Amino acid sequence: MSADARTFDYVIVGGGSAGCVLANRLTEDGRHSVLLLEAGPPDRYPWVHIPIGYGKTMFHPVLNWGFYSEPEPHLNGRKIYTPRGRTLGGSSAINGLIQIRGQAEDFDGWEALGATGWNARETLRYFVKSETNSRGASAYHGGGGPLFVSDIAGRHELVEALIAASAELGIPRTDDFNGARQEGAGYLQLTTRNGLRCSAAVAYLKPARHRSNLTIETDAHATGVEFDGRRAAGVRYRRDGAEAAVRAAREVLLCAGAVQSPQLLQLSGVGPAALLREHGIPLVAELPGVGENLQDHLLLRLVYKCTKPITTNDDLRTLWGKARVGLQWALFRTGPLSVGVMIGGMITRARPDAKTPDIQFFLSTVSAEERGAKPHRFPGFTLNFYPLRPTSRGAIRIKSPDPAAAPALLFNYLSTEYDRALMVEGTKLTRKLMATRAFAPYVVEEYKPGAGVRTDDEILECLRDSATTGFHPVGTCRMGRDAGAVVDPRLRVHGLQGLRVVDASVMPTLVSGNTNAATIMIAEKGADLIREDAGKTE
Ligand SMILES: Cc1cc2nc3c(=O)[nH]c(=O)nc-3n(C[C@H](O)[C@H](O)[C@H](O)COP(=O)(O)OP(=O)(O)OC[C@H]3O[C@@H](n4cnc5c(N)ncnc54)[C@H](O)[C@@H]3O)c2cc1C
């Protein structure tokens, strides 16, 4: 690296859920200088901030990396579209806004797998620290954190039906998926504030961006980590078509997410030796686990035609309807535009003998041929579900030494008997819900997959044809102490100095919920670990 490269104490790569948290926390005491590099543009696109804009960013050519998996061997060779945010806020700028942290047992499980200090009690402190909940502070919720989490304004007949249908099946109502007990059916809480999306950039970066010790560069694509021996010395990146480099006096912090943090490590010579050799990349450190252990929730959507014109499809069908909900949002910050697409949920046990709930459902008051597509012209709604703790494992591997080339994503969805069985159970459970007295007044018919799909074999074939990502890739720079782990419990890359990974890729296993909250928690705790370690050397 050239001697005149600028130097910052910390260089953060990726301004997503985790990167925004670090940028804020590492600059708040004014002692260190921080550079945040984000490959995407600033988050000025209005539909990033209006919750229902989720549909507009799903395939956005600039704000979304729009990856595709390799042909999935157990999904009839389909390439699964895998959106990832590409702007300040990262995936939290384009996600479904659902705030479900996971189960206490997930985090105790992480600790048992070698992630010392990441148990339920310790992680709860950081979940609480990160949050301002519209219900106020409590043992489980924060009242003064940057991330706003809100109740959905108003009630909806279809969520009421879901709660009543669940009760018919013996599943209790819950008012809080993040409280003492996760199981139950009820309304979701969303990462919104006054009807606007509260992305990590809005929550953490906006209040920090005027600090003199924080520099934010957008449209800055990191292409590799520079090493001095085994110490990370800085980052190479491309901006406006030019090559640039920057030095990190203390640390390089990779927050590029579960797809691109392992990609950057591999491009930089840190990863499985054979893979790097294949692409002619000189080895800096052999870490066979980089890119391995890829996990995701596999999701099935069941679409129902509704008897009544009470769905978002109906709200958005006519110009007048659009104007009405637009006005409702503009004047009161309520209505369909303020809530994204999912408003109700249910978490339960597909297998009655499961130790903790093993399946999650979401009710969406809109239906479409695919996510992000135009709503159907008929009244319709969607029940989505995924098993919470899939056992299939895949990998992210570079296909080329060119940093602009997407890596190969292979999820291996449905590669285990457990995953296949749970997806079939989930389909049957959705149908049981729809056959309850509570839903009878609302359901015309199952539009998709439809009555033609009946037996377990037919359901499995339908899953292979149409199941898709739950948008939660994690685990590709797994935390732990064994030979396959990539980072230690302080998030430091094994065998190297001055380099950490702080994002969804460090999760040893998927959380039984959604992944934004847990990623923000990881970065909150990560910031404390980084500051503690800085304190030891000052
Ligand atoms: C469509 C969708 C819906 C989702 N719905 C929900 C939901 O409802 N609830 C929930 O909890 N979770 C949801 N998620 C998942 C959740 O948002 C992610 O798990 C979380 O945001 C991941 O955070 P991260 O910091 O690991 O990565 P990201 O937030 O993806 O951040 C990575 C950042 O790094 C940048 N970057 C990547 N490579 C480079 C590079 N080489 N140089 C510079 N910058 C780079 C990216 O542009 C991005 O901004 C959803 C995700 C998607 C995509």
Side-chain angles (χ1 to χ4, degrees):
M1 198 181 317
S2 84
D4 57 355
R6 291 171 305 154
T7 302
F8 295 83
D9 289 319
Y10 297 103
V11 178
I12 302 171
V13 177
S17 296
C20 291
V21 177
L22 287 191
N24 180 318
R25 294 302 188 195
L26 297 179
T27 52
E28 66 187 350
D29 64 8
R31 292 158 63 120
H32 298 115
S33 59
V34 171
L35 171 67
L36 174 67
L37 296 174
E38 165 55 44
D43 57 345
R44 293 201 196 100
Y45 183 57
W47 287 111
V48 161
H49 301 284
I50 304 171
I52 209 169
Y54 176 75
K56 303 260 183 199
T57 50
M58 183 62 73
F59 295 97
H60 197 284
V62 174
L63 302 174
N64 197 321
W65 290 92
F67 294 113
Y68 279 87
S69 77
E70 299 296 295
E72 288 290 337
H74 309 279
L75 296 185
N76 288 341
R78 283 184 300 129
K79 295 183 176 187
I80 300 301
Y81 179 63
T82 307
R84 296 278 90 200
R86 186 179 174 278
T87 181
L88 290 176
S91 298
S92 76
I94 66 162
N95 73 11
L97 305 112
I98 299 166
Q99 175 81 354
I100 301 185
R101 298 168 178 169
Q103 298 167 5
E105 291 79 359
D106 297 331
F107 306 106
D108 287 340
W110 286 7
E111 185 159 71
L113 289 171
T116 312
W118 293 82
N119 54 49
R121 195 172 31 83
E122 180 74 2
T123 52
L124 179 60
R125 285 206 301 127
Y126 289 100
F127 280 120
V128 170
K129 180 181 182 187
S130 68
E131 183 189 66
T132 290
N133 198 288
S134 62
R135 301 174 185 178
S138 66
Y140 287 93
H141 292 289
L147 185 70
F148 277 72
V149 177
S150 305
D151 281 321
I152 286 160
R155 307 285 90 174
H156 197 288
E157 274 184 71
L158 288 170
V159 181
E160 296 298 328
L162 176 67
I163 295 168
S166 303
E168 282 182 46
L169 301 185
I171 300 160
R173 182 192 179 109
T174 180
D175 290 322
D176 188 358
F177 289 106
N178 297 302
R181 189 200 49 169
Q182 191 196 45
E183 196 156 15
Y187 286 89
L188 300 170
Q189 283 206 303
L190 304 179
T191 43
T192 56
R193 183 183 190 181
N194 299 330
L196 288 163
R197 175 187 291 275
C198 188
S199 69
V202 169
Y204 285 89
L205 214 51
K206 215 171 153 197
R209 70 172 177 219
H210 298 299
R211 293 179 189 157
S212 59
N213 58 337
L214 175 61
T215 305
I216 302 168
E217 290 189 16
T218 48
D219 300 296
H221 187 144
T223 53
V225 178
E226 289 276 341
F227 290 93
D228 247 346
R230 291 178 83 83
R231 173 168 202 91
V235 173
R236 294 186 303 277
Y237 65 104
R238 279 185 195 146
R239 194 169 191 221
D240 301 327
E243 303 292 328
V246 61
R247 280 180 188 281
R250 290 189 165 275
E251 297 191 36
V252 172
L253 305 166
L254 296 186
C255 302
V259 175
Q260 286 147 303
S261 283
Q263 179 197 19
L264 257 179
L265 285 174
Q266 292 170 3
L267 289 170
S268 309
V270 180
L275 178 73
L276 305 192
R277 206 176 313 119
E278 186 189 324
H279 295 291
I281 296 173
L283 190 68
V284 174
E286 177 166 11
L287 278 180
V290 173
E292 300 299 306
N293 191 45
L294 175 62
Q295 302 169 43
D296 188 17
H297 288 132
L298 181 67
L299 177 143
L300 186 70
R301 302 160 61 240
L302 290 98
V303 174
Y304 291 88
K305 283 192 172 172
C306 184
T307 52
K308 303 185 188 180
I310 53 170
T311 69
T312 309
N313 298 7
D314 308 296
D315 292 329
L316 300 180
R317 191 166 30 239
T318 60
L319 255 180
W320 157 242
K322 282 183 189 157
R324 192 173 49 78
V325 297
L327 211 61
Q328 189 183 2
W329 183 81
L331 294 177
F332 308 111
R333 293 282 189 262
T334 59
L337 267 59
S338 69
V339 292
V341 292
M342 314 281 194
I343 59 172
M346 181 184 84
I347 297 184
T348 187
R349 292 162 216 252
R351 296 200 155 161
D353 60 343
K355 275 204 194 118
T356 65
D358 57 6
I359 196 157
Q360 180 169 339
F361 292 78
F362 301 110
L363 185 134
S364 157
T365 56
V366 69
S367 74
E369 286 302 299
E370 62 173 320
R371 288 172 297 179
K374 274 211 162 83
H376 287 127
R377 296 203 56 81
F378 54 79
F381 62 96
T382 311
L383 247 277
N384 308 268
F385 77 85
Y386 50 66
L388 287 167
R389 290 179 295 279
T391 51
S392 298
R393 296 289 181 267
I396 306 272
R397 296 186 184 130
I398 49 168
K399 289 204 265 196
S400 139
D402 175 4
L409 285 64
L410 186 71
F411 290 95
N412 268 324
Y413 296 115
L414 291 189
S415 57
T416 66
E417 183 49 42
Y418 172 85
D419 288 357
R420 291 190 287 272
L422 245 73
M423 288 298 292
V424 172
E425 290 301 325
T427 311
K428 291 180 177 170
L429 189 47
T430 312
R431 288 173 163 178
K432 265 194 202 157
L433 275 170
M434 290 302 134
T436 55
R437 286 191 307 281
F439 266 113
Y442 298 100
V443 177
V444 178
E445 62 168 346
E446 183 181 291
Y447 172 76
K448 260 189 177 174
V453 175
R454 278 185 305 263
T455 64
D456 285 10
D457 285 348
E458 285 166 352
I459 293 175
L460 191 56
E461 197 47 32
C462 154
L463 287 162
R464 294 190 196 284
D465 276 342
S466 56
T468 184
T469 172
F471 304 130
H472 297 158
V474 305
T476 48
C477 296
R478 174 168 71 79
M479 178 172 23
R481 299 169 183 283
D482 56 290
V486 175
V487 297
D488 71 8
R490 300 188 78 77
L491 307 181
R492 298 173 298 203
V493 176
H494 282 297
L496 295 168
Q497 284 100 47
L499 183 61
R500 293 188 216 231
V501 182
V502 187
D503 60 25
S505 64
V506 305
M507 295 185 199
T509 55
L510 257 171
V511 290
S512 309
N514 300 59
T515 45
N516 187 50
T519 305
I520 287 176
M521 174 279 292
I522 287 169
E524 282 278 13
K525 184 171 160 67
D528 272 3
L529 297 172
I530 294 164
R531 288 193 298 201
E532 261 171 44
D533 289 349
K536 286 180 204 154
T537 58
E538 279 170 353

